[in-house]
Amino acid sequence: MKPYSDRRAVLLQHMQSHGGGVAILSTNQEMTRNSDCFFPFRHDSYFYYLTGFTEPEAVLVLVAGKTNQSILFCREKNPEREIWDGFIFGPDAAQQQFGFDDAFPNAALQDKLPELLADSPTIFHTQGHHSHLDDITQAAISAVRSRVRSGILPPQKTIDLHSILDEMRLFKDSSEIALMQKAASISSVAHRRAMQITCPGMFEYELEAEMLHEFRRQGAQSPAYGSIIATGPNACILHYSANNAKIRDGDLILIDAGCEFDSYASDVTRTFPANGKFSPAQKTLYDLVLTAQSAALEHAISGARYLDGHNAAVRVLTQGMLDTGLLDKNKVGSLEDAISNNAYRQFYMHGTGHWIGMDVHDAGNYRDPKAPAGTDEKPYRTLEPGMAITIEPGIYVRPAEGVPEKYWNIGIRIEDDIIITRDGPVNLSKDTPKTVKEIEAAMKGK
Ligand code: GLY
Ligand code: MN
Ligand code: MN
């Protein structure tokens, strides 16, 4: 439980540096799927980051005062309910196991929260993140205000916790990196498995099942996001989710799927030929995307600007579009023109990556938080050791006039998960077959 209590201590220090106050965070509530069934429960990432506690309906209150306190509000033990739904810690066991200073049943929040907020200078809150917590907090503030005639004041200031916690979450500690490595390694095996099992005639959902099989077989709790299994033209739909088409001989298959292991995401994409061999046109575009990824990777280093990798990938891809005739020089102009007039966006319309961590699109500011307030366009921030990013260039060719037909309906993305370190990028998903040679060899091994 040490990483969690260490993080609470860091947050309490931040709160003290703002003059102290009370922080309130909540995990998620169960969500109805239909009738009396719930969606599989996933805890709130901010709450989990500070507690390690995975039960629904819990609230964390941190008090930065003369002495600091961490207080958990959670479900009561309930032997009857536990017969149906499983183990519940209850406040006493939760306090001991998770190292809180105190713990109470949720029902106590109504009385305790106004007591804790009375005469506290500042409330630290994730406003708008959970409407049920906004309601609880407003009710508590109203309860304090109703006692104003006895000289008690509610907090006079509100500070958004996101800005503090997002900055903390952006830098992964060694326990987080170990979990991300585990998640990425499982995903690598799953991608290899999908390549090995694929034959024309199968359906996309069969490959989805193979991925899920490997995730669960190795102890990952779930996919980290909706798996994209896209054959042929479906690969040109960026967030394709139907996963129900038949795979045809000659198709390229794009799989963007990664597991979540102990609350940490992986996000890996590979593209491979259904019949085990890239056609010349597929290989040309595949090697172009791979070169763009290598170019972006060179900027996954401490001191580079966040957008440097994207700019490098765009340069390589755009030059390739001109060389292959995807873009017509006579219409779009030079390389510099095609970049500045966004012509390349016809075939590459997304960014080259994002922060990754507990959330696949993880918390963290992409712009320099130290840029002076009021700056119109803050510069992109500088990469530093401990940050985790994806690098995922692609190319997506929809049929269109003037576009060489041999490239129609080819969609390619190559995505890896990278940790920035003092010694250069560490590729967590490096064991996933990636070059044409590696992919064709892996597919022959079936
Ligand atoms: N799988 C979501 C993404 O690549 O951003
Ligand atoms: Mn991604
Ligand atoms: Mn992805």
Side-chain angles (χ1 to χ4, degrees):
M1 289 303 124
K2 181 129 170 48
Y4 308 103
S5 55
D6 284 352
R7 292 173 198 151
R8 292 198 294 274
V10 171
L11 177 54
L12 281 159
Q13 260 173 24
H14 278 288
M15 292 165 66
Q16 290 287 8
S17 72
H18 284 93
V22 173
I24 310 172
L25 295 103
S26 167
T27 194
N28 290 323
Q29 295 184 304
E30 301 260 36
M31 273 181 70
T32 302
R33 182 177 186 275
N34 57 358
S35 179
D36 56 354
C37 299
F38 295 122
F39 283 105
F41 179 73
R42 168 56 159 77
H43 43 265
D44 177 89
S45 295
Y46 290 104
F47 177 88
Y48 179 82
Y49 184 68
L50 295 169
T51 62
F53 193 66
T54 57
E55 286 183 16
E57 292 177 11
V59 170
L60 173 69
V61 178
L62 297 178
V63 181
K66 284 197 193 79
T67 55
N68 289 339
Q69 281 187 84
S70 300
I71 306 168
L72 181 77
F73 293 83
C74 62
R75 287 178 167 179
E76 278 198 273
K77 275 214 82 67
N78 182 337
E80 169 71 11
R81 192 160 157 185
E82 289 178 60
I83 291 172
W84 292 89
D85 297 333
F87 177 76
I88 298 173
F89 272 97
D92 292 344
Q95 184 200 340
Q96 280 194 357
Q97 285 264 333
F98 294 84
F100 298 108
D101 299 308
D102 226 336
F104 299 98
N106 282 323
L109 254 179
Q110 199 179 346
D111 290 335
K112 292 269 175 216
L113 200 51
E115 279 172 29
L116 294 166
L117 288 175
D119 280 337
S120 170
T122 300
I123 184 163
F124 296 80
H125 197 250
T126 55
Q127 260 170 346
H129 189 56
H130 290 297
S131 57
H132 72 276
L133 188 67
D134 291 349
D135 293 346
I136 290 169
T137 309
Q138 285 312 320
I141 291 172
S142 297
V144 180
R145 198 168 283 127
S146 71
R147 294 166 61 200
V148 73
R149 279 193 302 280
S150 49
I152 293 168
L153 284 178
Q156 300 297 297
K157 214 163 96 185
T158 302
I159 292 184
D160 184 14
L161 266 179
H162 287 117
S163 55
I164 303 172
L165 288 175
D166 287 358
E167 199 61 18
M168 288 172 66
R169 282 179 55 182
L170 189 51
F171 295 89
K172 275 68 183 176
D173 63 31
S174 56
S175 66
E176 294 180 290
I177 292 171
L179 291 171
M180 291 180 71
Q181 177 62 78
K182 178 79 180 168
S185 297
I186 295 172
S187 297
S188 289
V189 177
H191 276 271
R192 186 182 288 273
R193 180 186 177 96
M195 287 175 192
Q196 288 178 338
I197 207 122
T198 294
C199 330
M202 289 175 78
F203 283 84
E204 291 167 340
Y205 51 73
E206 294 178 69
L207 298 186
E208 184 180 9
E210 293 298 330
M211 301 295 294
L212 191 56
H213 174 96
E214 197 60 44
F215 293 169
R216 291 297 285 141
R217 199 178 76 78
Q218 295 205 47
Q221 287 78 9
S222 68
Y225 53 92
S227 302
I228 298 170
I229 318 286
T231 195
N234 295 337
C236 297
I237 303 169
L238 297 180
H239 290 165
Y240 178 71
S241 62
N243 297 355
N244 60 3
K246 195 167 187 172
I247 295 165
R248 293 169 318 167
D249 197 355
D251 280 357
L252 274 186
I253 303 166
L254 183 157
I255 297 188
D256 182 347
C259 69
E260 178 175 303
F261 186 88
D262 283 1
S263 302
Y264 282 82
S266 54
D267 182 6
V268 180
T269 308
R270 288 294 184 267
T271 310
F272 55 94
N275 60 18
K277 184 117 189 87
F278 285 86
S279 73
Q282 290 169 345
K283 183 173 179 313
T284 299
L285 294 192
Y286 190 88
D287 282 337
L288 174 59
V289 177
L290 191 57
T291 309
Q293 205 214 25
S294 305
L297 259 166
E298 283 180 25
H299 298 273
I301 51 171
S302 184
R305 287 263 175 213
Y306 174 77
L307 214 59
D308 291 350
H310 174 69
N311 291 337
V314 163
R315 239 187 140 66
V316 170
L317 288 169
T318 309
Q319 183 62 59
M321 291 171 200
L322 292 165
D323 294 345
T324 52
L326 284 174
L327 289 177
D328 182 348
K329 294 181 185 70
N330 298 320
K331 288 195 181 132
V332 301
S334 67
L335 172 63
E336 301 306 332
D337 295 336
I339 292 173
S340 63
N341 64 23
N342 287 333
Y344 70 88
R345 284 180 156 266
Q346 182 180 352
F347 306 108
Y348 183 48
M349 60 298 278
H350 60 74
T352 304
H354 47 82
W355 308 130
I356 181 166
M358 278 186 289
D359 300 340
V360 62
H361 297 159
D362 207 35
N365 198 335
Y366 288 86
R367 301 274 179 170
D368 184 353
K370 297 196 185 85
T375 313
D376 278 350
E377 180 94 325
K378 291 186 177 172
Y380 280 92
R381 73 184 303 156
T382 301
L383 296 179
E384 295 174 54
M387 291 176 169
I389 58 172
T390 65
I391 299 194
E392 51 177 305
I395 202 159
Y396 312 91
V397 187
R398 287 170 177 268
E401 210 184 304
V403 173
E405 212 168 321
K406 62 183 172 180
Y407 298 126
W408 285 12
N409 292 318
I410 292 180
I412 296 166
R413 180 161 62 255
I414 305 172
E415 176 172 28
D416 285 300
D417 301 343
I418 308 294
I419 305 285
I420 309 298
T421 79
R422 272 177 223 300
D423 305 320
V426 170
N427 184 347
L428 301 178
S429 43
K430 67 174 183 343
D431 293 337
T432 325
K434 187 155 73 170
T435 63
V436 164
K437 206 168 148 200
E438 286 166 355
I439 290 173
E440 289 182 351
M443 295 187 76
K444 265 201 196 121
K446 63 186 162 197

